[in-house]
Amino acid sequence: MASAPGGDPVLAACKDKLKHFRLKELKDVLYKIGLSKHGKKQELVDKIVAILSDQQDQASKIDGLPNRLMVGKETVVKIVEDTFRKMREPANAVSASGNQNELGYSVMPMKNPDDSAQLDIKVRCPCGNSMATGSMIQCDHPRCSVWQHIDCVIIPEKTADTAPQELPSSFYCEMCRVSRADPFWVTINHPLLPVSVAPSNIMADGSYTVQYIEKTFPLSRANREMLQKAEYDIQVWCILLDDKVPFRMHWPLHSDMQINGIPVRVVSRQATQPLGANGRDDGLMLTQFLKEGPNKIVLSRSDSRAFCLGVRIAKRRSLEEVLNLVPKEQDGEKFDDALSRVRRCVGGGTEADNADSDSDIEVVADSVSVNLRCPMTGSRIKVAGRFKPCVHMGCFDLEAFVELNQRSRKV
Ligand SMILES: [Zn+2]
Ligand SMILES: [Zn+2]
Ligand SMILES: [Zn+2]
């Protein structure tokens, strides 16, 4: 399909629209195409233009582009046009930040499910079907990039109108979510791949039915031997599919479990209390209940929400190892980046900085005070820590934070 990029009127129209896009629109478009949203504004524009120009060869050379695109050029054109139209809508112009509705697109429209070109897509979905059918969504973790069925992993918001389904701005599969839920454990393998835990049905009196899920998984001799070592454990975990906090475990209300016929307490909280201490649940350690060969777990619960459950073998990290995970000072934020972040906080900054920033922070401050006392311990900060996505300037004491997190667990 040879085409002269300069002479294509559709391309020219799209290019013109791209010029008007802010970072938000560019990221939305890339997200819907299923590509990485990282990069400078111009790089994001270049990525989209490369796809629209049929420059597949060039496109795949640009960092973050897969060799084969998941959507056709026509779909990309439509996404650009719709995003532009949406941006121009008066309602949207008023609320420049906040609850903008995402457009409901098929992230990966399948023209022909038998098309052999789709065979190299990695599909792993808690429904158990590994075929790419219907609309798909991809995990944002670069080393995972697994595809899942949107209908299986995204819970549509219950709204009265028939607005198109809203897709999250970032998406992680349940395996990546659980791997990041607890820095004190490193996932080694998954004897039971994640499975959907369907919501309970509502009964005439308004209560929910008790539902059971039964799963059998094998434990190999090698894994059994690995579990003899003190630092390894095997755990069954559960997450709430549409949890607002993506990286935490979360068990259904009234959870009870039987492991090889033995009743085991899943969580230490009350059956009706939504979450454990510190607003999170833990995985259930299974090592003492399992044997080599097939093992059976049964979960009963009574909860109207959809969850996902799996079994993983994990290795314990020491406090020292966890502290070592925190990026070293020289690997952290570059001085220039820090400077421009602080400038954005204070409201100044250069023209060029502001052109690319669609930041919500519009307050201009004359002076800013930064507290050197840790908000958790009340003493002076030794190593100042900050979460990576945070734009504010306040800090906490890093070691105190990690230690407190370790001490506050029930194990
Ligand atoms: Zn599925
Ligand atoms: Zn993933
Ligand atoms: Zn913060």
Side-chain angles (χ1 to χ4, degrees), residues 124 139-141 143-146 171-177:
R124 195 209 65 244
C139 175
D140 277 348
H141 193 297
R143 273 185 303 182
C144 173
S145 302
V146 76
F171 173 79
Y172 292 92
C173 76
E174 61 294 323
M175 267 190 193
C176 291
R177 285 171 60 185

Side-chain angles (χ1 to χ4, degrees), residues 82-376:
D82 284 352
T83 306
F84 183 73
R85 189 166 36 77
K86 195 90 184 170
M87 187 178 79
R88 284 294 160 103
E89 275 170 15
N92 220 19
V94 175
S95 71
S97 65
N99 326 314
Q100 286 148 341
N101 268 331
E102 298 277 341
L103 303 167
Y105 287 106
S106 302
V107 176
M108 189 167 90
M110 307 304 285
K111 284 187 189 124
N112 176 5
D114 301 326
D115 191 343
S116 60
Q118 306 290 354
L119 281 179
D120 57 347
I121 297 168
K122 188 168 66 158
V123 177
R124 195 209 65 244
C125 190
C127 70
N129 177 1
S130 55
M131 299 285 288
T133 54
S135 302
M136 308 291 289
I137 191 164
Q138 190 175 28
C139 175
D140 277 348
H141 193 297
R143 273 185 303 182
C144 173
S145 302
V146 76
W147 289 88
Q148 304 193 308
H149 310 112
I150 287 183
D151 291 342
C152 299
V153 291
I154 306 282
I155 313 292
E157 274 188 49
K158 288 185 192 79
T159 43
D161 58 84
T162 51
Q165 187 182 340
E166 192 172 319
L167 292 176
S169 59
S170 71
F171 173 79
Y172 292 92
C173 76
E174 61 294 323
M175 267 190 193
C176 291
R177 285 171 60 185
V178 83
S179 286
R180 290 171 69 169
D182 188 341
F184 286 91
W185 290 101
V186 192
T187 304
I188 303 295
N189 61 40
H190 298 268
L192 174 65
L193 290 177
V195 288
S196 302
V197 177
S200 302
N201 299 315
I202 191 158
M203 291 191 292
D205 65 353
S207 64
Y208 293 101
T209 55
V210 176
Q211 255 155 309
Y212 294 85
I213 181 170
E214 181 185 315
K215 286 286 154 190
T216 303
F217 62 91
L219 188 65
S220 68
R221 172 161 297 177
N223 280 342
R224 180 72 252 185
E225 277 163 11
M226 193 197 303
L227 292 169
Q228 314 275 314
K229 296 183 197 144
E231 68 269 29
Y232 289 88
D233 220 327
I234 182 166
Q235 60 175 202
V236 54
W237 54 265
C238 193
I239 56 165
L240 175 63
L241 263 191
D242 62 343
D243 201 331
K244 284 184 188 67
V245 178
F247 305 115
R248 73 173 167 198
M249 294 187 202
H250 201 148
W251 288 94
L253 299 174
H254 305 279
S255 282
D256 270 307
M257 198 168 258
Q258 283 198 12
I259 298 154
N260 291 329
I262 307 159
V264 177
R265 189 118 194 242
V266 181
V267 282
S268 54
R269 57 178 155 91
Q270 299 272 308
T272 51
Q273 189 191 328
L275 273 167
N278 307 312
R280 26 199 341 122
D281 282 335
D282 280 312
L284 174 60
M285 299 304 175
L286 299 179
T287 304
Q288 55 176 317
F289 305 106
L290 300 187
K291 56 186 190 333
E292 190 182 321
N295 290 275
K296 190 170 90 175
I297 55 172
V298 181
L299 171 73
S300 67
R301 78 283 178 192
S302 179
D303 197 307
S304 61
R305 301 164 297 172
F307 291 80
C308 185
L309 163 147
V311 174
R312 68 167 180 171
I313 293 181
K315 187 176 185 228
R316 194 187 293 271
R317 274 195 190 113
S318 66
L319 177 60
E320 209 183 330
E321 287 170 315
V322 171
L323 281 170
N324 280 336
L325 289 179
V326 179
K328 294 282 163 290
E329 206 163 345
Q330 62 267 26
D331 303 333
E333 200 174 30
K334 299 260 185 330
F335 179 77
D336 285 346
D337 293 343
L339 186 63
S340 67
R341 175 174 57 81
V342 171
R343 275 191 180 141
R344 282 200 300 278
C345 280
V346 183
T350 63
E351 193 87 345
D353 276 346
N354 289 337
D356 256 354
S357 142
D358 299 309
S359 162
D360 293 337
I361 301 167
E362 274 155 21
V363 181
V364 177
D366 289 331
S367 72
V368 178
S369 57
V370 177
N371 200 337
L372 294 181
R373 234 176 247 290
C374 173
M376 281 172 291

